[in-house]
Amino acid sequence: MTVFAVEYVYAADSTEARNEARPAHREWTGSLAEDGVILASGPYGDGAGALLIFKADNEASLNSVLKQDPFAAAGVIAGIRVTEWSPVTGMLAGLAA
């Protein structure tokens, strides 16, 4: 498995739509966390986006998962940056194979 850092940039003026989609989004992330697919996730303090840390076989399979995010369906994500990440120190160290 590979670890990926996924950064969301929220669309301008999407606060109301995010608030409406948030319960479904949190249910989705919670389910993925239970399955060990999401290692951590949460919004940035300034509200402009979020960081999600995933484990996936490859970027293509990760992209399939990201398309299922209720935030994606709600159209509140203006941009996504996916970066393969190798945590070497801390609680997530050694997760990347």
Side-chain angles (χ1 to χ4, degrees):
M1 288 283 186
T2 303
V3 177
F4 293 93
V6 177
E7 294 180 85
Y8 282 176
V9 175
Y10 296 140
D13 301 322
S14 67
T15 302
E16 186 176 323
R18 283 196 323 268
N19 288 342
E20 290 174 13
R22 184 169 288 113
H25 168 76
R26 294 250 171 107
E27 183 177 328
W28 177 77
T29 59
S31 175
L32 291 174
E34 287 177 10
D35 293 342
V37 175
I38 285 184
L39 303 175
S41 69
Y44 293 134
D46 64 3
L51 176 65
L52 302 91
I53 307 296
F54 285 87
K55 281 191 335 187
D57 289 330
N58 53 53
E59 192 168 343
S61 65
L62 172 63
N63 287 331
S64 294
V65 171
L66 293 175
K67 289 177 184 175
Q68 299 170 24
D69 187 342
F71 273 3
V76 302
I77 303 168
I80 297 176
R81 179 179 178 203
V82 175
T83 306
E84 188 174 327
W85 183 50
S86 298
V88 296
T89 303
M91 294 175 19
L92 301 179
L95 291 177

Coordinates of all heavy atoms in Angstrom, one line a residue:
M1 N 0.8 -1.2 0.0 CA 0.0 0.0 0.0 C 0.9 1.2 0.0 O 1.9 1.3 0.6 CB -0.9 0.0 1.2 CG -2.0 -0.9 1.3 SD -3.3 -0.4 0.2 CE -4.5 -1.6 0.6
T2 N 0.4 2.3 -0.6 CA 1.0 3.5 -0.7 C 0.3 4.6 0.1 O -1.0 4.5 0.2 CB 1.1 4.0 -2.2 OG1 1.8 3.0 -2.9 CG2 1.9 5.3 -2.3
V3 N 0.9 5.5 0.8 CA 0.3 6.6 1.5 C 0.3 7.8 0.6 O 1.3 8.1 -0.1 CB 1.1 6.9 2.8 CG1 0.4 8.0 3.6 CG2 1.1 5.6 3.7
F4 N -0.9 8.5 0.6 CA -1.1 9.7 -0.2 C -1.6 10.8 0.7 O -2.5 10.6 1.5 CB -2.1 9.4 -1.3 CG -1.6 8.5 -2.4 CD1 -2.0 7.1 -2.3 CD2 -0.9 8.9 -3.5 CE1 -1.6 6.2 -3.3 CE2 -0.5 8.0 -4.5 CZ -0.8 6.7 -4.4
A5 N -1.0 12.0 0.5 CA -1.6 13.2 1.1 C -2.5 13.8 0.0 O -2.0 14.0 -1.1 CB -0.4 14.1 1.5
V6 N -3.7 14.1 0.4 CA -4.7 14.7 -0.5 C -5.1 16.0 0.0 O -5.6 16.1 1.2 CB -5.9 13.8 -0.7 CG1 -6.9 14.5 -1.6 CG2 -5.5 12.4 -1.3
E7 N -4.8 17.1 -0.7 CA -5.2 18.4 -0.3 C -6.4 18.9 -1.1 O -6.4 18.8 -2.4 CB -4.1 19.4 -0.5 CG -2.9 19.1 0.4 CD -1.8 20.1 0.1 OE1 -1.8 21.2 0.7 OE2 -0.9 19.8 -0.7
Y8 N -7.5 19.3 -0.4 CA -8.7 19.9 -1.1 C -8.5 21.4 -1.0 O -8.2 21.9 0.1 CB -9.9 19.5 -0.3 CG -10.5 18.1 -0.6 CD1 -11.6 17.7 0.1 CD2 -9.9 17.2 -1.5 CE1 -12.1 16.4 0.0 CE2 -10.5 15.9 -1.7 CZ -11.6 15.6 -0.9 OH -12.1 14.3 -1.1
V9 N -8.9 22.1 -2.0 CA -9.2 23.5 -2.0 C -10.6 23.7 -2.2 O -11.2 23.2 -3.3 CB -8.3 24.2 -3.1 CG1 -8.7 25.7 -3.1 CG2 -6.9 24.0 -2.9
Y10 N -11.3 24.3 -1.3 CA -12.8 24.5 -1.4 C -13.1 25.6 -2.4 O -12.4 26.6 -2.5 CB -13.4 24.8 -0.1 CG -13.3 23.6 0.9 CD1 -13.0 23.9 2.2 CD2 -13.4 22.3 0.5 CE1 -12.9 22.8 3.1 CE2 -13.3 21.3 1.4 CZ -13.0 21.5 2.7 OH -12.9 20.5 3.6
A11 N -14.2 25.5 -3.1 CA -14.7 26.5 -4.0 C -15.1 27.8 -3.2 O -15.6 27.7 -2.1 CB -15.9 26.0 -4.8
A12 N -14.8 28.9 -3.8 CA -15.2 30.2 -3.2 C -16.7 30.2 -3.0 O -17.5 29.6 -3.8 CB -14.8 31.3 -4.1
D13 N -17.2 30.7 -2.0 CA -18.6 30.9 -1.7 C -19.3 29.5 -1.6 O -20.5 29.4 -1.9 CB -19.3 31.7 -2.7 CG -18.7 33.1 -2.8 OD1 -18.4 33.7 -1.7 OD2 -18.6 33.7 -3.9
S14 N -18.6 28.5 -1.1 CA -19.2 27.1 -1.0 C -19.5 26.8 0.5 O -19.9 25.6 0.7 CB -18.2 26.1 -1.6 OG -17.1 26.0 -0.8
T15 N -19.4 27.7 1.4 CA -19.7 27.4 2.8 C -21.0 26.8 3.0 O -21.1 25.7 3.7 CB -19.5 28.7 3.7 OG1 -18.2 29.2 3.5 CG2 -19.7 28.4 5.1
E16 N -22.1 27.3 2.5 CA -23.4 26.8 2.7 C -23.6 25.4 2.1 O -24.1 24.5 2.8 CB -24.5 27.7 2.0 CG -25.9 27.3 2.4 CD -26.9 28.3 1.8 OE1 -26.7 29.5 1.8 OE2 -28.0 27.8 1.3
A17 N -23.1 25.2 0.9 CA -23.1 23.8 0.3 C -22.3 22.8 1.1 O -22.7 21.7 1.3 CB -22.7 23.9 -1.1
R18 N -21.1 23.3 1.6 CA -20.3 22.4 2.4 C -21.1 22.0 3.7 O -21.0 20.8 4.1 CB -19.0 23.0 2.8 CG -18.0 23.0 1.6 CD -16.5 23.2 2.1 NE -16.4 24.2 3.1 CZ -16.2 25.5 2.9 NH1 -16.1 26.0 1.7 NH2 -16.0 26.3 3.9
N19 N -21.7 23.0 4.3 CA -22.4 22.7 5.6 C -23.5 21.7 5.3 O -23.8 20.8 6.2 CB -23.0 24.0 6.1 CG -21.9 24.9 6.7 OD1 -20.8 24.5 7.0 ND2 -22.2 26.2 6.9
E20 N -24.2 21.8 4.2 CA -25.3 20.8 3.8 C -24.7 19.4 3.6 O -25.3 18.4 4.0 CB -26.0 21.3 2.6 CG -26.9 22.6 2.9 CD -27.5 23.1 1.7 OE1 -27.6 22.4 0.6 OE2 -28.0 24.3 1.7
A21 N -23.6 19.4 2.9 CA -23.0 18.1 2.5 C -22.1 17.5 3.7 O -21.8 16.3 3.6 CB -22.1 18.2 1.3
R22 N -21.8 18.3 4.7 CA -20.8 17.8 5.7 C -21.2 16.5 6.4 O -20.4 15.6 6.6 CB -20.5 18.9 6.7 CG -19.4 18.5 7.7 CD -19.0 19.7 8.6 NE -18.1 20.5 7.7 CZ -18.4 21.8 7.4 NH1 -19.6 22.3 7.8 NH2 -17.6 22.5 6.6
P23 N -22.5 16.4 6.8 CA -22.8 15.1 7.5 C -22.5 13.9 6.7 O -22.0 12.9 7.1 CB -24.3 15.3 7.8 CG -24.5 16.7 7.9 CD -23.6 17.3 6.9
A24 N -22.9 13.9 5.4 CA -22.6 12.8 4.5 C -21.1 12.6 4.3 O -20.6 11.5 4.2 CB -23.3 13.0 3.1
H25 N -20.4 13.7 4.1 CA -18.9 13.7 3.9 C -18.3 13.1 5.2 O -17.4 12.2 5.0 CB -18.4 15.1 3.7 CG -16.9 15.2 3.8 ND1 -16.1 14.8 2.8 CD2 -16.1 15.7 4.8 CE1 -14.8 15.1 3.1 NE2 -14.8 15.6 4.3
R26 N -18.7 13.4 6.4 CA -18.1 12.9 7.6 C -18.5 11.4 7.7 O -17.7 10.6 8.2 CB -18.6 13.7 8.8 CG -18.0 15.1 8.8 CD -17.0 15.3 9.8 NE -16.3 16.6 9.7 CZ -16.4 17.7 10.5 NH1 -17.3 17.6 11.5 NH2 -15.7 18.8 10.3
E27 N -19.7 11.0 7.3 CA -20.0 9.6 7.4 C -19.1 8.8 6.4 O -18.6 7.7 6.7 CB -21.5 9.4 7.0 CG -22.0 8.0 7.0 CD -23.4 7.9 6.7 OE1 -24.2 8.8 7.0 OE2 -23.8 6.8 6.1
W28 N -18.9 9.4 5.2 CA -18.0 8.8 4.2 C -16.6 8.6 4.8 O -16.0 7.5 4.7 CB -18.0 9.6 3.0 CG -17.1 9.2 1.9 CD1 -17.3 8.1 1.0 CD2 -15.9 9.8 1.5 NE1 -16.3 8.0 0.1 CE2 -15.4 9.1 0.4 CE3 -15.2 10.9 1.9 CZ2 -14.2 9.4 -0.3 CZ3 -14.0 11.2 1.3 CH2 -13.5 10.5 0.2
T29 N -16.0 9.7 5.3 CA -14.6 9.6 5.9 C -14.6 8.7 7.1 O -13.6 8.0 7.2 CB -14.1 11.0 6.2 OG1 -14.9 11.7 7.2 CG2 -13.9 11.9 5.0
G30 N -15.6 8.7 7.9 CA -15.6 7.8 9.1 C -15.6 6.4 8.7 O -14.9 5.5 9.3
S31 N -16.4 6.0 7.6 CA -16.4 4.6 7.2 C -15.1 4.2 6.6 O -14.6 3.1 6.8 CB -17.5 4.5 6.1 OG -17.5 3.2 5.5
L32 N -14.4 5.1 5.8 CA -13.1 4.8 5.3 C -12.1 4.7 6.4 O -11.1 3.9 6.3 CB -12.7 5.9 4.3 CG -13.5 5.9 3.0 CD1 -13.1 7.1 2.1 CD2 -13.4 4.6 2.2
A33 N -12.2 5.5 7.4 CA -11.3 5.4 8.6 C -11.4 4.0 9.3 O -10.4 3.4 9.6 CB -11.5 6.5 9.5
E34 N -12.7 3.6 9.4 CA -12.9 2.3 10.0 C -12.3 1.2 9.2 O -11.8 0.2 9.8 CB -14.4 2.0 10.2 CG -15.0 2.8 11.3 CD -16.6 2.6 11.3 OE1 -17.1 1.7 10.7 OE2 -17.2 3.4 12.1
D35 N -12.3 1.4 7.9 CA -11.7 0.4 7.0 C -10.2 0.5 6.8 O -9.6 -0.3 6.1 CB -12.4 0.5 5.6 CG -13.8 0.0 5.6 OD1 -14.3 -0.6 6.6 OD2 -14.5 0.4 4.7
G36 N -9.6 1.5 7.5 CA -8.1 1.7 7.4 C -7.7 2.4 6.1 O -6.5 2.4 5.8
V37 N -8.6 3.0 5.3 CA -8.3 3.6 4.1 C -7.9 5.1 4.3 O -6.9 5.5 3.7 CB -9.5 3.5 3.1 CG1 -9.2 4.3 1.8 CG2 -9.8 2.1 2.8
I38 N -8.6 5.8 5.2 CA -8.2 7.1 5.6 C -7.5 7.0 6.9 O -8.0 6.4 7.9 CB -9.4 8.0 5.8 CG1 -9.9 8.5 4.4 CG2 -9.0 9.3 6.6 CD1 -11.0 9.5 4.4
L39 N -6.3 7.5 7.0 CA -5.5 7.5 8.2 C -5.8 8.7 9.1 O -5.7 8.7 10.3 CB -4.0 7.4 7.9 CG -3.6 6.3 7.0 CD1 -2.1 6.3 6.6 CD2 -3.9 4.9 7.7
A40 N -6.1 9.9 8.5 CA -6.4 11.1 9.2 C -7.0 12.1 8.1 O -6.8 12.0 6.9 CB -5.1 11.7 9.7
S41 N -7.9 12.9 8.6 CA -8.4 14.0 7.8 C -9.0 15.1 8.6 O -9.3 14.9 9.8 CB -9.6 13.4 6.9 OG -10.7 13.1 7.7
G42 N -9.1 16.3 8.0 CA -9.7 17.4 8.7 C -9.4 18.7 7.9 O -8.5 18.8 7.0
P43 N -10.3 19.7 8.2 CA -10.2 21.0 7.5 C -9.0 21.8 8.0 O -8.5 21.7 9.1 CB -11.5 21.6 7.8 CG -11.8 21.1 9.2 CD -11.3 19.7 9.2
Y44 N -8.5 22.7 7.1 CA -7.5 23.7 7.5 C -8.2 24.7 8.4 O -9.4 25.0 8.3 CB -6.9 24.4 6.3 CG -6.0 23.4 5.5 CD1 -6.2 23.4 4.1 CD2 -5.1 22.6 6.0 CE1 -5.4 22.6 3.3 CE2 -4.3 21.8 5.3 CZ -4.4 21.8 3.9 OH -3.7 20.9 3.1
G45 N -7.4 25.3 9.3 CA -8.0 26.3 10.2 C -8.6 27.5 9.6 O -9.5 28.1 10.1
D46 N -8.1 27.9 8.4 CA -8.7 29.0 7.7 C -9.9 28.7 6.9 O -10.5 29.6 6.3 CB -7.6 29.7 6.8 CG -7.1 28.8 5.6 OD1 -7.7 27.7 5.5 OD2 -6.2 29.3 4.9
G47 N -10.3 27.5 6.8 CA -11.5 27.1 6.1 C -11.4 27.0 4.6 O -12.4 26.8 3.9
A48 N -10.2 27.2 4.1 CA -10.0 27.2 2.6 C -9.9 25.8 2.0 O -10.0 25.7 0.8 CB -8.8 28.0 2.3
G49 N -9.7 24.8 2.8 CA -9.5 23.5 2.3 C -9.3 22.5 3.4 O -9.7 22.7 4.5
A50 N -8.8 21.3 3.0 CA -8.6 20.2 4.0 C -7.5 19.3 3.5 O -7.0 19.4 2.4 CB -9.9 19.4 4.1
L51 N -7.0 18.6 4.5 CA -5.9 17.6 4.2 C -6.5 16.2 4.6 O -7.0 16.0 5.7 CB -4.7 17.9 5.1 CG -3.5 16.9 5.0 CD1 -3.0 16.8 3.5 CD2 -2.4 17.2 6.0
L52 N -6.3 15.2 3.7 CA -6.7 13.9 4.0 C -5.5 13.0 3.7 O -4.9 13.1 2.7 CB -7.9 13.5 3.1 CG -9.2 14.4 3.2 CD1 -9.1 15.5 2.2 CD2 -10.4 13.5 3.0
I53 N -5.3 12.0 4.6 CA -4.2 11.1 4.4 C -4.8 9.7 4.2 O -5.5 9.2 5.0 CB -3.2 11.0 5.6 CG1 -2.8 12.4 6.0 CG2 -2.1 10.1 5.4 CD1 -1.9 13.1 5.0
F54 N -4.5 9.1 3.0 CA -5.1 7.9 2.6 C -4.0 6.8 2.4 O -2.8 7.1 2.1 CB -5.7 8.0 1.2 CG -7.0 8.7 1.1 CD1 -7.0 10.1 1.0 CD2 -8.2 8.0 1.2 CE1 -8.3 10.8 1.0 CE2 -9.4 8.7 1.1 CZ -9.4 10.1 1.0
K55 N -4.4 5.5 2.5 CA -3.7 4.4 2.0 C -4.4 3.8 0.8 O -5.6 3.6 0.9 CB -3.6 3.3 3.1 CG -2.5 3.6 4.2 CD -2.2 2.4 5.1 CE -3.3 1.4 5.3 NZ -3.0 0.4 6.3
A56 N -3.7 3.6 -0.2 CA -4.3 3.0 -1.4 C -3.3 2.2 -2.2 O -2.1 2.4 -2.1 CB -4.9 4.1 -2.3
D57 N -3.7 1.3 -3.1 CA -2.8 0.5 -3.9 C -2.1 1.4 -4.9 O -0.9 1.2 -5.1 CB -3.6 -0.6 -4.7 CG -4.1 -1.7 -3.8 OD1 -3.5 -2.0 -2.7 OD2 -5.1 -2.3 -4.1
N58 N -2.8 2.4 -5.4 CA -2.1 3.3 -6.4 C -3.0 4.5 -6.6 O -4.1 4.6 -6.0 CB -2.0 2.5 -7.8 CG -3.2 1.9 -8.3 OD1 -4.3 2.6 -8.3 ND2 -3.2 0.6 -8.6
E59 N -2.5 5.5 -7.3 CA -3.3 6.7 -7.5 C -4.6 6.5 -8.2 O -5.6 7.2 -7.9 CB -2.4 7.8 -8.2 CG -3.0 9.2 -8.1 CD -2.1 10.2 -8.5 OE1 -0.8 10.0 -8.6 OE2 -2.5 11.4 -8.7
A60 N -4.6 5.6 -9.1 CA -5.9 5.4 -9.9 C -7.0 4.8 -8.9 O -8.1 5.3 -9.0 CB -5.7 4.4 -11.0
S61 N -6.6 3.9 -8.0 CA -7.6 3.4 -7.1 C -8.0 4.5 -6.1 O -9.2 4.6 -5.7 CB -7.2 2.2 -6.4 OG -6.0 2.4 -5.6
L62 N -7.1 5.4 -5.7 CA -7.4 6.5 -4.8 C -8.4 7.4 -5.5 O -9.3 7.9 -4.9 CB -6.1 7.2 -4.4 CG -6.3 8.5 -3.7 CD1 -7.0 8.3 -2.3 CD2 -5.0 9.3 -3.5
N63 N -8.1 7.7 -6.8 CA -9.0 8.6 -7.5 C -10.4 8.1 -7.6 O -11.4 8.9 -7.5 CB -8.5 9.0 -8.9 CG -7.3 9.9 -8.8 OD1 -7.2 10.7 -7.9 ND2 -6.4 9.8 -9.8
S64 N -10.6 6.8 -7.7 CA -11.9 6.2 -7.7 C -12.6 6.4 -6.3 O -13.8 6.7 -6.3 CB -11.8 4.7 -7.9 OG -11.3 4.4 -9.2
V65 N -11.8 6.3 -5.2 CA -12.4 6.6 -3.9 C -12.8 8.0 -3.8 O -13.9 8.4 -3.3 CB -11.4 6.2 -2.8 CG1 -11.9 6.6 -1.4 CG2 -11.2 4.7 -2.8
L66 N -11.9 8.9 -4.2 CA -12.2 10.4 -4.1 C -13.5 10.8 -4.8 O -14.2 11.7 -4.3 CB -11.0 11.2 -4.6 CG -9.7 11.1 -3.7 CD1 -8.6 11.8 -4.4 CD2 -9.9 11.6 -2.3
K67 N -13.8 10.2 -5.9 CA -15.0 10.5 -6.7 C -16.2 10.2 -5.9 O -17.3 10.7 -6.2 CB -15.0 9.7 -8.0 CG -14.0 10.2 -9.0 CD -14.0 9.4 -10.3 CE -12.9 9.9 -11.2 NZ -12.8 9.0 -12.4
Q68 N -16.1 9.3 -4.9 CA -17.3 9.0 -4.0 C -17.6 10.0 -2.9 O -18.6 9.8 -2.2 CB -17.1 7.6 -3.5 CG -17.0 6.5 -4.5 CD -16.5 5.2 -3.9 OE1 -16.7 4.9 -2.8 NE2 -15.9 4.4 -4.8
D69 N -16.7 10.9 -2.7 CA -16.8 11.9 -1.6 C -18.1 12.7 -1.9 O -18.2 13.3 -2.9 CB -15.6 12.8 -1.5 CG -15.6 13.7 -0.3 OD1 -16.7 13.9 0.3 OD2 -14.5 14.2 0.0
P70 N -19.0 12.8 -0.9 CA -20.1 13.7 -1.0 C -19.8 15.2 -1.3 O -20.6 15.9 -1.9 CB -20.9 13.5 0.3 CG -20.5 12.1 0.7 CD -19.1 12.0 0.3
F71 N -18.6 15.6 -0.9 CA -18.2 17.0 -1.2 C -18.0 17.1 -2.7 O -18.3 18.1 -3.3 CB -16.9 17.3 -0.4 CG -17.1 17.9 0.9 CD1 -18.4 18.0 1.5 CD2 -16.1 18.4 1.7 CE1 -18.6 18.6 2.8 CE2 -16.2 18.9 2.9 CZ -17.5 19.0 3.5
A72 N -17.5 16.0 -3.3 CA -17.3 16.1 -4.8 C -18.6 16.1 -5.5 O -18.8 16.9 -6.4 CB -16.5 14.8 -5.3
A73 N -19.6 15.4 -5.0 CA -20.9 15.4 -5.6 C -21.6 16.7 -5.4 O -22.4 17.2 -6.3 CB -21.8 14.3 -5.0
A74 N -21.3 17.4 -4.3 CA -21.9 18.7 -4.0 C -21.2 19.8 -4.8 O -21.7 21.0 -4.8 CB -21.9 19.0 -2.5
G75 N -20.1 19.5 -5.4 CA -19.4 20.5 -6.2 C -18.6 21.6 -5.4 O -18.4 22.7 -5.9
V76 N -18.2 21.3 -4.2 CA -17.6 22.3 -3.3 C -16.1 22.2 -3.4 O -15.4 23.0 -2.8 CB -18.1 22.1 -1.9 CG1 -19.6 22.3 -1.8 CG2 -17.7 20.8 -1.2
I77 N -15.5 21.2 -4.1 CA -14.1 21.1 -4.2 C -13.6 21.8 -5.5 O -13.9 21.3 -6.6 CB -13.6 19.6 -4.1 CG1 -14.1 19.0 -2.9 CG2 -12.1 19.5 -4.3 CD1 -14.0 17.5 -2.9
A78 N -12.8 22.8 -5.4 CA -12.4 23.6 -6.6 C -11.1 22.9 -7.1 O -10.8 23.0 -8.3 CB -12.1 25.0 -6.3
G79 N -10.3 22.3 -6.2 CA -9.0 21.7 -6.7 C -8.6 20.6 -5.7 O -8.9 20.6 -4.5
I80 N -7.9 19.7 -6.3 CA -7.3 18.5 -5.5 C -5.9 18.4 -5.9 O -5.5 18.3 -7.1 CB -8.1 17.2 -5.8 CG1 -9.5 17.3 -5.3 CG2 -7.4 16.1 -5.0 CD1 -10.4 16.1 -5.6
R81 N -5.0 18.2 -4.9 CA -3.6 17.9 -5.1 C -3.3 16.6 -4.4 O -3.6 16.4 -3.2 CB -2.7 19.0 -4.6 CG -1.3 18.7 -4.7 CD -0.4 19.8 -4.2 NE 1.0 19.4 -4.4 CZ 2.0 19.9 -3.7 NH1 1.7 20.8 -2.7 NH2 3.2 19.5 -3.9
V82 N -2.9 15.6 -5.2 CA -2.6 14.3 -4.6 C -1.1 14.1 -4.7 O -0.5 14.3 -5.8 CB -3.3 13.2 -5.4 CG1 -2.8 11.8 -5.0 CG2 -4.8 13.3 -5.4
T83 N -0.5 13.7 -3.6 CA 1.0 13.6 -3.5 C 1.3 12.3 -2.8 O 0.8 12.0 -1.7 CB 1.6 14.7 -2.7 OG1 1.2 16.0 -3.3 CG2 3.2 14.6 -2.8
E84 N 2.1 11.4 -3.4 CA 2.6 10.2 -2.7 C 3.4 10.7 -1.6 O 4.3 11.6 -1.7 CB 3.3 9.3 -3.7 CG 3.7 8.0 -3.1 CD 4.3 7.0 -4.1 OE1 4.0 7.1 -5.3 OE2 5.2 6.3 -3.6
W85 N 3.3 10.1 -0.4 CA 4.0 10.5 0.8 C 4.6 9.4 1.5 O 3.9 8.3 1.6 CB 3.0 11.3 1.7 CG 3.5 11.9 2.9 CD1 4.6 12.7 3.0 CD2 2.9 11.8 4.2 NE1 4.7 13.1 4.3 CE2 3.7 12.6 5.1 CE3 1.8 11.1 4.8 CZ2 3.5 12.7 6.4 CZ3 1.6 11.3 6.1 CH2 2.4 12.0 6.9
S86 N 5.8 9.5 2.1 CA 6.4 8.5 2.8 C 6.7 9.0 4.2 O 7.8 9.6 4.5 CB 7.8 8.1 2.2 OG 7.5 7.6 0.9
P87 N 5.8 8.8 5.2 CA 6.0 9.2 6.6 C 7.1 8.4 7.2 O 7.1 7.2 7.2 CB 4.7 9.0 7.3 CG 4.0 8.0 6.4 CD 4.5 8.1 5.0
V88 N 8.2 9.1 7.7 CA 9.3 8.4 8.3 C 9.5 8.6 9.8 O 10.2 7.9 10.4 CB 10.6 8.8 7.6 CG1 10.6 8.3 6.1 CG2 10.9 10.3 7.7
T89 N 8.7 9.6 10.3 CA 8.8 9.9 11.8 C 7.4 10.1 12.3 O 6.5 10.6 11.6 CB 9.6 11.1 12.0 OG1 10.9 11.0 11.5 CG2 9.7 11.4 13.5
G90 N 7.1 9.6 13.5 CA 5.8 9.8 14.1 C 4.9 8.6 14.0 O 5.3 7.6 13.6
M91 N 3.6 8.9 14.4 CA 2.6 7.8 14.4 C 2.4 7.1 13.1 O 2.0 6.0 13.1 CB 1.3 8.4 15.0 CG 1.5 8.8 16.4 SD 0.0 9.6 17.2 CE -1.3 9.2 16.2
L92 N 2.6 7.8 12.0 CA 2.3 7.2 10.7 C 3.5 6.6 10.0 O 3.5 6.1 9.0 CB 1.7 8.2 9.8 CG 0.4 8.9 10.2 CD1 -0.2 9.9 9.3 CD2 -0.7 7.8 10.5
A93 N 4.7 6.7 10.7 CA 5.9 6.2 10.2 C 5.8 4.7 9.8 O 5.2 3.9 10.5 CB 7.1 6.4 11.1
G94 N 6.4 4.4 8.7 CA 6.5 3.0 8.3 C 5.2 2.4 7.6 O 5.2 1.3 7.3
L95 N 4.2 3.3 7.4 CA 3.0 2.8 6.8 C 3.1 2.6 5.3 O 2.5 1.7 4.7 CB 1.8 3.7 7.0 CG 1.4 3.8 8.5 CD1 0.3 4.8 8.6 CD2 0.8 2.4 8.9
A96 N 4.0 3.3 4.6 CA 4.2 3.2 3.2 C 5.0 1.9 2.9 O 6.0 1.7 3.6 CB 4.9 4.4 2.6
A97 N 4.5 1.2 2.0 CA 5.3 -0.1 1.7 C 6.2 0.1 0.5 O 6.0 1.0 -0.3 CB 4.3 -1.2 1.3

